Amino acid sequence: MLRILTTAFALFASTALHAEEVTTYTLDNGMDVVVIEDHRAPVVVHMVWYRIGSADEPVGASGVAHFLEHLLFKETENLASGELSATVAANGGSDNAFTSYDYTAYYQRVAADRLELMMRMESDRMNNLRITEADIVTERNVILEERAQRTDNNAGALAREQLRAAQYMNHRYGVPIIGWRHEMEELSLQDALDFYELYYSPNNAILVVAGDVQPAEVLALAEQYYGVIPAEPDLPERLRPEEPPQNAERRLIFEDPRVSQPYVTRSYLAPERDSGAQEEAAALVYLADILGGSSFTSVLGEALQFDAQLAVYTGAGYDASSLDDTTFGITVVPAVGVSLQEGEDAMDAAIADFMETGVDPEQLERLRTQFRAGEIYARDNVEGIANRYGAALTQGLTVQDVQDWPDILQAVTADDIMAVAAKVLDRRQSVTGWVIPNREVLTQ
């Protein structure tokens, strides 16, 4: 039985990863169209991605990108407030929207024969939004309450917000996506309209349609509904303030009585996935798992949780999806009776040992197989596939970059991982935070 299971595992690991069937177009008004065929079920995911996120907001108007996302569910020239979502639901589908630092996206998942209806409604709110002062008051209160629930009432979220603000001193990644409360309170109708009229334009948008569709039919519908919308002639070049080189370690202490367990967290500036140059990002994906991906097999888990029993939790994370420099993070929650300084020292000692001993070959192969399995399983989620392409294309990558990524992940070597570890795990480009309930913790 063991031999059979081993053979099956080997066959799975060697399964070829075939790229999705993707067809791309560009309409005359500059709107990009991406069609991903998946005929296994009669459903379609229809998404419009705008190359505009919170990091592109005007100074002093933080939160306006997310605010406008809410307002797009209000009245248009042809739809009553809330009618779009109600229509999607009445047709057995689901819809939503989300805002990131680098993009804002709107989507519907419906039966494939409802695609035209989705395009008609979505194209309407791209060009015909009709918001009022009453809408501004209502939705401003909604987003303020959202901030209260998700951030202000969450000590960990507030700590992460401060840590990020300390990490990015010049780039807008240091401003929370939802916005700073004092600026959110002042968002006006004119702020929303200015943002909408400039950035919600076909030449700043990507249409992603994934599912049981034919590319030629999608193109015909796109031309009919989106192609008639004029391009924005004054769309600015997407330029952002660059983060200056960080040459000194930064530290902060975040105190909040709601913190139930003190912990140490550190972030380092790290490279993102760049078009045609994704190798460092792929190596960082491995590094995050090797250092803190599992409490049982990771470097920090074995050293701090099991060997020395100095921590009750360790973890590391890296998000390669970013238009500009991203971060690599590590967190350690010391065990009872272990001070934050002892926990941080143990973390640094474990990292230093790793830099000396290098990557465990068996662990590397396990991760290689896990990542390959993840890529294969991801093919079963048509919405996830659409998200993958939409996010990548709004963050400076190409369709080819997305399709190359699984092979680039598989090609990562131990030397690649150690090289990127030496580059990124530099205390001079880090921010270390101690998150505590009160100052008494520091004297224990």
Side-chain angles (χ1 to χ4, degrees):
M1 178 62 72
L2 179 60
R3 182 178 300 172
I4 294 173
L5 290 174
T6 304
T7 302
F9 186 75
L11 287 172
F12 173 77
S14 64
T15 300
L17 283 172
H18 300 291
E20 296 88 5
E21 292 290 333
V22 179
T23 306
T24 61
Y25 308 99
T26 300
L27 304 183
D28 290 343
N29 59 10
M31 186 174 188
D32 292 323
V33 180
V34 178
V35 184
I36 308 163
E37 294 182 69
D38 186 334
H39 301 288
R40 291 176 294 177
V43 297
V44 65
V45 175
H46 170 266
M47 309 189 78
V48 172
W49 296 72
Y50 292 95
R51 296 181 183 90
I52 189 72
S54 68
D56 303 293
E57 296 166 338
V59 174
S62 66
V64 70
H66 174 250
F67 186 36
L68 185 57
E69 175 212 308
H70 278 246
L71 291 168
L72 247 73
F73 289 87
K74 297 297 184 179
E75 183 179 350
T76 72
E77 189 173 289
N78 301 298
L79 295 168
S81 181
E83 184 178 350
L84 186 149
S85 293
T87 302
V88 173
N91 281 272
S94 60
D95 76 312
N96 213 328
F98 45 89
T99 304
S100 179
Y101 289 107
D102 300 319
Y103 52 74
T104 308
Y106 302 82
Y107 75 89
Q108 302 88 34
R109 180 187 175 96
V110 292
D113 62 359
R114 302 297 194 273
L115 176 60
E116 181 175 1
L117 175 61
M118 299 303 108
M119 284 206 192
R120 185 169 72 237
M121 294 191 298
E122 192 66 71
S123 62
D124 183 43
R125 67 175 171 179
M126 176 185 283
N127 200 44
N128 299 317
L129 188 63
R130 299 289 182 265
I131 51 177
T132 66
E133 285 287 358
D135 294 327
I136 295 299
V137 173
T138 299
E139 289 308 312
R140 190 170 54 211
N141 287 336
V142 170
I143 62 171
L144 286 168
E145 179 60 26
E146 185 177 338
R147 179 182 166 90
Q149 292 181 1
R150 297 186 179 182
T151 305
D152 299 338
N153 291 334
N154 185 321
L158 287 172
R160 288 190 296 272
E161 190 175 76
Q162 292 299 310
L163 192 77
R164 194 170 183 93
Q167 182 78 81
Y168 292 100
M169 300 188 71
N170 195 47
H171 196 285
R172 295 285 290 181
Y173 284 169
V175 178
I177 294 171
I178 199 166
W180 297 116
R181 172 171 285 275
H182 68 285
E183 293 183 351
M184 295 167 66
E185 292 171 341
E186 300 299 322
L187 290 173
S188 67
L189 175 61
Q190 196 59 53
D191 290 331
L193 288 176
D194 288 346
F195 206 75
Y196 174 74
E197 291 169 0
L198 183 59
Y199 294 113
Y200 276 57
S201 310
N203 48 323
N204 196 41
I206 303 165
L207 171 64
V208 178
V209 177
D212 190 17
V213 294
Q214 296 296 332
E217 295 174 2
V218 173
L219 175 60
L221 290 172
E223 288 177 333
Q224 178 181 351
Y225 290 104
Y226 294 106
V228 296
I229 301 174
E232 171 53 60
D234 298 321
L235 184 68
E237 186 178 355
R238 199 176 194 188
L239 298 175
R240 292 164 164 182
E242 291 188 18
E243 190 68 17
Q246 182 181 341
N247 300 312
E249 178 182 3
R250 299 168 192 157
R251 302 185 66 88
L252 61 88
I253 296 174
F254 180 84
E255 182 180 356
D256 190 308
R258 296 170 296 182
V259 174
S260 59
Q261 179 71 43
Y263 61 91
V264 180
T265 183
R266 180 182 295 158
S267 67
Y268 302 83
L269 281 176
E272 75 286 358
R273 286 170 64 185
D274 286 325
S275 183
Q278 303 181 85
E279 288 77 11
E280 281 192 333
L284 283 166
V285 170
Y286 279 87
L287 180 63
D289 257 287
I290 289 170
L291 287 183
S294 165
S295 298
F296 302 99
T297 61
S298 68
V299 168
L300 292 172
E302 288 187 357
L304 275 64
Q305 293 180 249
F306 291 98
D307 292 347
Q309 297 186 2
L310 294 172
V312 296
Y313 170 81
T314 59
Y318 167 72
D319 185 0
S321 298
S322 181
L323 181 60
D324 300 314
D325 280 351
T326 183
T327 57
F328 185 98
I330 299 173
T331 299
V332 171
V333 180
V336 175
V338 178
S339 70
L340 290 173
Q341 188 62 64
E342 290 170 330
E344 182 179 341
D345 290 344
M347 176 182 77
D348 286 329
I351 293 172
D353 288 344
F354 167 73
M355 296 304 296
E356 287 288 331
T357 59
V359 177
D360 178 349
E362 291 186 2
Q363 185 182 19
L364 176 57
E365 289 309 310
R366 284 197 304 270
L367 289 175
R368 202 187 306 280
T369 302
Q370 288 173 18
F371 292 151
R372 190 176 194 86
E375 292 292 332
I376 293 171
Y377 293 139
R379 302 292 169 85
D380 291 331
N381 185 340
V382 67
E383 188 175 319
I385 292 172
N387 271 290
R388 179 181 300 191
Y389 280 91
L393 294 172
T394 56
Q395 294 175 319
L397 300 175
T398 66
V399 168
Q400 191 61 55
D401 291 324
V402 177
Q403 297 190 340
D404 288 344
W405 179 247
D407 289 336
I408 291 173
L409 274 177
Q410 291 300 303
V412 170
T413 67
D415 288 343
D416 295 332
I417 296 167
M418 297 310 297
V420 79
K423 176 180 178 178
V424 171
L425 301 180
D426 182 345
R427 293 276 291 272
R428 293 171 299 179
Q429 58 185 20
S430 73
V431 179
T432 302
W434 285 9
V435 182
I436 60 175
N438 51 65
R439 293 279 167 167
E440 295 178 3
V441 171
L442 303 180
T443 62
Q444 295 175 357

